[in-house]
Amino acid sequence: MRLAITHETRYSYSPAVQTAQHVAHLQPADTPCQKVLSHSLHVEPAASVLHNVDAYCNHRAYWALNNPHDGLLVRACSEIETSEIEQAKATQSWESVREHFRYHGGLPADVNNGFVFGSHHAPVHEAFTAYAQSSFTPGRALMPAALELTARMHRDFTYASQSTDINTPALEALESKLGVCQDFAHILLACLRSLGLPARYVSGYLLTQPPPGQPRLVGSDASHAWASVYLPELASHACQGWLDLDPTNNRCGLASPGLDYVRLAVGRDFADVSPLRGVLQGGGEHTLDVAVTVAPLDE
């Protein structure tokens, strides 16, 4: 599947910002399930944009604005070709995976060890352990346990736009059973990590179809988020060991939940992969408008 993605962010400042530095995670990377055909990033006011790769192999852009400005426009355009990889089953028990990631003196650590520990938005807590425990029964394989937990979250939780924001604690969203995709991804991460399992946050996009007979609305889509859990047994598989889990839609798959998903960046939680962040000098109140369009390239 070939997809065109436009992600536009506009800030308006009052009073004007004097100087600013910004970092963006808006360029998808090639993965086992996607190939980047093209990518461009446009910034207003004009700036010299530099690029590098962060600790999680995400593409990162950064720039400085050294003159007063009362607005910021960042437009990222990408064309992506998604594909399927051969699926496989993993039979390793979740307890053995947990043991694999325990510290053992004198032995090298697994490269994905950092995804076991709690993070700001996905803390380790007994409440997450309690919620996950019925899916992770003694001796059960990690793969079906993670799939069942994802499906159970999809049944138990209600998607409610604007019911939370990025500062809503995952524990609060767990208790209310309300939230958006970010909340559900953080809760799933917290459940897996509270069991001692490695899991990472995935930011990206999902193709959404307009109602029958209605045109696709430019800017009506939104960025998406899900989680993935690491299966050491499949480290040499094309998925590189990662099983993607989307509790918002109950979609799962090795390396990607499906052809209609595009991965943007991965990290410990949202804080590692925020699409755009900055440090500002001056300014005061601001307004933010984000518009995302995901469409098949043949439209």
Side-chain angles (χ1 to χ4, degrees):
M1 180 178 291
R2 293 161 65 94
L3 300 172
I5 302 162
T6 302
H7 188 149
E8 185 174 283
T9 305
R10 289 180 180 270
Y11 278 97
S12 296
Y13 307 116
S14 179
V17 168
Q18 299 303 304
T19 63
Q21 296 188 10
H22 293 280
V23 176
H25 287 94
L26 287 168
Q27 179 179 347
D30 289 335
T31 77
C33 290
Q34 69 186 42
K35 179 180 179 181
V36 180
L37 304 177
S38 67
H39 174 78
S40 64
L41 185 69
H42 174 75
V43 176
E44 293 181 15
S48 177
V49 180
L50 303 176
H51 300 267
N52 63 14
V53 176
D54 69 14
Y56 303 108
C57 297
N58 302 310
H59 291 293
R60 180 169 56 185
Y62 56 101
W63 64 91
L65 297 173
N66 297 316
N67 296 310
H69 51 286
D70 57 11
L72 173 68
L73 167 65
V74 180
R75 182 186 299 115
C77 298
S78 303
E79 294 185 356
I80 308 293
E81 183 174 24
T82 64
S83 59
E84 295 179 331
I85 62 172
E86 181 182 358
Q87 297 296 296
K89 291 184 178 180
T91 59
Q92 189 174 9
S93 72
W94 69 271
E95 294 102 329
S96 66
V97 174
R98 178 183 62 187
E99 185 62 26
H100 174 81
F101 283 92
R102 289 189 190 276
Y103 172 76
H104 298 281
L107 297 179
D110 190 291
V111 66
N112 294 303
N113 188 64
F115 292 114
V116 174
F117 303 102
S119 58
H120 177 72
H121 294 293
V124 170
H125 192 279
E126 60 185 10
F128 297 113
T129 306
Y131 180 77
Q133 202 70 68
S134 64
S135 298
F136 288 80
T137 52
R140 191 176 191 187
L142 171 54
M143 189 174 192
L147 295 175
E148 181 183 297
L149 175 60
T150 302
R152 185 153 56 87
M153 283 189 62
H154 181 70
R155 293 193 303 269
D156 291 351
F157 289 73
T158 300
Y159 186 96
S161 298
Q162 300 181 345
S163 60
T164 59
D165 59 37
I166 190 55
N167 295 312
T168 301
L171 278 169
E172 183 178 316
L174 174 67
E175 182 177 354
S176 68
K177 300 293 192 295
L178 288 173
V180 295
C181 57
Q182 278 182 347
D183 302 297
F184 302 159
H186 285 145
I187 291 169
L188 182 53
L189 289 176
C191 286
L192 294 166
R193 293 174 183 169
S194 294
L195 293 168
L197 301 170
R200 67 185 185 183
Y201 183 93
V202 188
S203 69
Y205 307 100
L206 173 61
L207 174 65
T208 56
Q209 298 294 339
Q214 298 295 317
R216 187 180 303 278
L217 300 177
V218 174
S220 64
D221 297 319
S223 56
H224 193 45
W226 59 98
S228 57
V229 65
Y230 184 67
L231 308 168
E233 186 179 354
L234 297 180
S236 60
H237 184 270
C239 69
Q240 301 170 348
W242 291 102
L243 172 65
D244 280 30
L245 309 163
D246 179 9
T248 303
N249 298 290
N250 194 21
R251 297 276 302 279
C252 306
L254 294 175
S256 173
L259 286 172
D260 45 351
Y261 286 74
V262 171
R263 183 202 301 178
L264 187 55
V266 299
R268 293 165 298 178
D269 60 26
F270 173 82
D272 284 336
V273 298
S274 174
L276 183 63
R277 66 174 62 196
V279 178
L280 313 180
Q281 179 185 17
E285 295 184 357
H286 71 267
T287 59
L288 168 64
D289 182 42
V290 179
V292 176
T293 302
V294 183
L297 267 173
D298 56 3
E299 284 194 355

